[in-house]
Amino acid sequence: MTLPARVTVYEVGPRDGLQNEAGAVPTEVKAELVERLLDAGLPVVEATSFVHPRWVPQLADAADLLTMLAERIGDRVRDLPVLVPNDRGLDRALELGCRHVAIFGSATESFAQRNLNRSLDEQFAMFEPTVRRARDAGLRVRAYLSMCFGDPWEGEVPVEQVVAVGRRLLDLGAEQLSLGDTIGVGTVGQVGPLVAAFEAAGVPVERLAMHFHDTYGQALANTYAALQAGVTTFDASAGGLGGCPYARSATGNLATEDLLWMLRGLGIETGVDLDAVVGTSAWLARHLGRPSPSAVVRALATGAS
Ligand code: MG
């Protein structure tokens, strides 16, 4: 089995991580976090979300953050992906000149109802104008698909259902589909068949990304299975941000450092400086007032910042 020679690490810590942290992080700290992650060589850093502050108060400073980042990194800020939940979110992203947005869909009826307040089918009616307008404006669009490996209300999610919903998001105009194991219950045996089912439905593996959570300690095993299936884009969160064991919303994002350690061992290139990411996570942990849940950060961090 040949593994990919190179992998793209899609960093979600500033958005997916911080939105699930219990405490609010000052905007200046977020700006420094994003800049440090870029400096470490991460090719994609999702910066924030234009979700309504009522739902995610942790990211209420999205516009201020992008403005502050523009002062630090100039025009590069426009290429940082931002999550847009709907048309209003896209309006805000367009006002700030963003060139890369992400939408967040559900593979299951239960999660669509709870997270989007819509049925599985109704979510497409919400996304359709958002994606169309984004594409018409020349933006790149990524689609997240949550609950692809299991759902807390429905249990196992049929592969055909995941593929059908994922296909519809791609057909709307998304260029990449990130398959999320939102509650971290997926195991190795599910990964290859899911990728194969997408390929059988006409979706090339190059358009798929994997978004694993380590809630049940399966994230790296699942990553290896996805590498074997030819996947070359993996989402990860610096220091395992969002995996706060004390927060009720703990999600257990795969730590970027854990991913990088395994990829380095496999000789797979990422262009990312692992030590620089570890240093960044150690620095951020002091701002959060708790240690990183990442095993690799704990092993490598020396207190340097
Ligand atoms: Mg996540």
Side-chain angles (χ1 to χ4, degrees), residues 181 184-191 212-225 254:
D181 183 9
V185 294
T187 51
V188 170
Q190 292 173 270
V191 178
F212 291 122
H213 283 190
D214 208 30
T215 322
Y216 288 75
Q218 307 298 302
L220 284 180
N222 291 339
T223 299
Y224 190 69
L254 169 62

Coordinates of all heavy atoms in Angstrom, one line a residue, residues 181 184-191 212-225 254:
D181 N -15.8 13.3 11.8 CA -16.2 12.4 12.9 C -16.5 13.2 14.1 O -15.7 13.2 15.0 CB -15.1 11.3 13.1 CG -15.6 10.3 14.1 OD1 -16.8 10.3 14.5 OD2 -14.7 9.5 14.5
G184 N -16.3 11.6 17.4 CA -15.0 10.8 17.6 C -15.3 9.3 17.7 O -14.4 8.6 18.3
V185 N -16.4 8.8 17.3 CA -16.7 7.4 17.5 C -16.2 6.4 16.4 O -16.3 5.2 16.5 CB -18.2 7.1 17.7 CG1 -18.7 7.8 19.0 CG2 -19.0 7.6 16.5
G186 N -15.8 7.1 15.3 CA -15.4 6.3 14.1 C -14.2 5.4 14.4 O -13.4 5.7 15.2
T187 N -14.1 4.2 13.7 CA -13.0 3.4 13.8 C -12.5 3.0 12.4 O -13.1 3.3 11.4 CB -13.3 2.1 14.6 OG1 -14.5 1.5 14.0 CG2 -13.6 2.4 16.1
V188 N -11.3 2.4 12.5 CA -10.5 2.2 11.2 C -11.3 1.5 10.1 O -11.2 1.9 9.0 CB -9.2 1.3 11.6 CG1 -8.5 0.9 10.3 CG2 -8.3 2.2 12.4
G189 N -12.1 0.6 10.5 CA -12.8 -0.2 9.5 C -13.8 0.6 8.7 O -14.2 0.2 7.6
Q190 N -14.2 1.8 9.2 CA -15.2 2.6 8.5 C -14.6 3.5 7.4 O -15.3 3.9 6.5 CB -15.9 3.5 9.5 CG -16.8 2.8 10.5 CD -17.4 3.8 11.5 OE1 -16.7 4.0 12.5 NE2 -18.5 4.4 11.2
V191 N -13.3 3.8 7.5 CA -12.7 4.8 6.8 C -12.6 4.5 5.3 O -13.1 5.2 4.4 CB -11.3 5.2 7.3 CG1 -10.7 6.3 6.5 CG2 -11.5 5.7 8.8
F212 N -11.0 14.3 11.9 CA -11.2 13.3 12.9 C -11.1 13.9 14.3 O -10.4 14.9 14.5 CB -10.1 12.2 12.8 CG -10.3 11.3 11.6 CD1 -9.3 11.2 10.7 CD2 -11.5 10.6 11.4 CE1 -9.4 10.3 9.6 CE2 -11.6 9.8 10.3 CZ -10.6 9.7 9.4
H213 N -11.8 13.3 15.2 CA -11.8 13.7 16.6 C -11.2 12.6 17.5 O -11.5 11.4 17.1 CB -13.2 14.1 17.1 CG -13.6 15.5 16.7 ND1 -14.7 16.1 17.2 CD2 -13.1 16.3 15.8 CE1 -14.9 17.3 16.6 NE2 -13.9 17.5 15.8
D214 N -10.5 12.9 18.5 CA -9.8 11.9 19.3 C -10.5 11.5 20.5 O -10.0 10.9 21.4 CB -8.4 12.4 19.6 CG -7.4 11.2 19.8 OD1 -7.6 10.2 19.1 OD2 -6.5 11.3 20.6
T215 N -11.8 11.8 20.6 CA -12.6 11.5 21.8 C -12.5 10.1 22.3 O -12.4 9.9 23.5 CB -14.1 11.8 21.5 OG1 -14.2 12.9 20.6 CG2 -14.9 12.1 22.7
Y216 N -12.4 9.2 21.4 CA -12.3 7.7 21.8 C -10.9 7.2 21.5 O -10.7 6.0 21.4 CB -13.3 6.9 21.1 CG -14.8 7.1 21.6 CD1 -15.5 8.2 21.3 CD2 -15.3 6.2 22.5 CE1 -16.8 8.5 21.8 CE2 -16.6 6.4 23.0 CZ -17.3 7.5 22.7 OH -18.6 7.7 23.2
G217 N -9.9 8.1 21.2 CA -8.6 7.7 21.0 C -8.3 7.1 19.6 O -7.3 6.4 19.4
Q218 N -9.2 7.3 18.7 CA -9.1 6.6 17.4 C -8.6 7.5 16.2 O -8.5 7.1 15.1 CB -10.5 6.1 17.0 CG -11.2 5.3 18.0 CD -10.4 4.0 18.3 OE1 -10.2 3.2 17.4 NE2 -10.1 3.8 19.6
A219 N -8.3 8.8 16.5 CA -8.1 9.7 15.4 C -6.9 9.4 14.6 O -7.0 9.5 13.3 CB -7.9 11.2 16.0
L220 N -5.8 9.0 15.2 CA -4.6 8.7 14.4 C -4.7 7.4 13.6 O -4.3 7.3 12.5 CB -3.3 8.7 15.3 CG -2.8 10.1 15.7 CD1 -1.6 9.9 16.5 CD2 -2.5 10.9 14.5
A221 N -5.4 6.4 14.2 CA -5.6 5.2 13.5 C -6.5 5.4 12.3 O -6.2 4.9 11.2 CB -6.2 4.1 14.4
N222 N -7.5 6.3 12.5 CA -8.4 6.6 11.4 C -7.6 7.4 10.3 O -7.9 7.2 9.1 CB -9.6 7.4 11.9 CG -10.5 6.5 12.7 OD1 -10.5 5.3 12.6 ND2 -11.3 7.1 13.6
T223 N -6.7 8.3 10.8 CA -5.9 9.0 9.8 C -5.1 8.1 9.0 O -5.0 8.3 7.7 CB -5.0 10.0 10.6 OG1 -5.8 10.9 11.3 CG2 -4.1 10.8 9.6
Y224 N -4.5 7.1 9.6 CA -3.6 6.2 8.8 C -4.5 5.4 7.8 O -4.1 5.2 6.7 CB -2.9 5.2 9.8 CG -1.9 4.4 9.1 CD1 -0.7 5.0 8.6 CD2 -2.1 3.0 8.9 CE1 0.3 4.2 8.0 CE2 -1.1 2.2 8.2 CZ 0.0 2.9 7.8 OH 1.0 2.1 7.1
A225 N -5.7 5.0 8.2 CA -6.6 4.3 7.3 C -6.9 5.2 6.1 O -7.0 4.8 4.9 CB -7.8 3.8 8.0
L254 N -8.5 16.3 16.9 CA -7.2 15.8 16.7 C -6.2 16.9 16.8 O -6.3 17.9 16.1 CB -7.1 15.1 15.4 CG -5.7 14.7 14.9 CD1 -5.1 13.7 15.9 CD2 -5.7 14.1 13.5

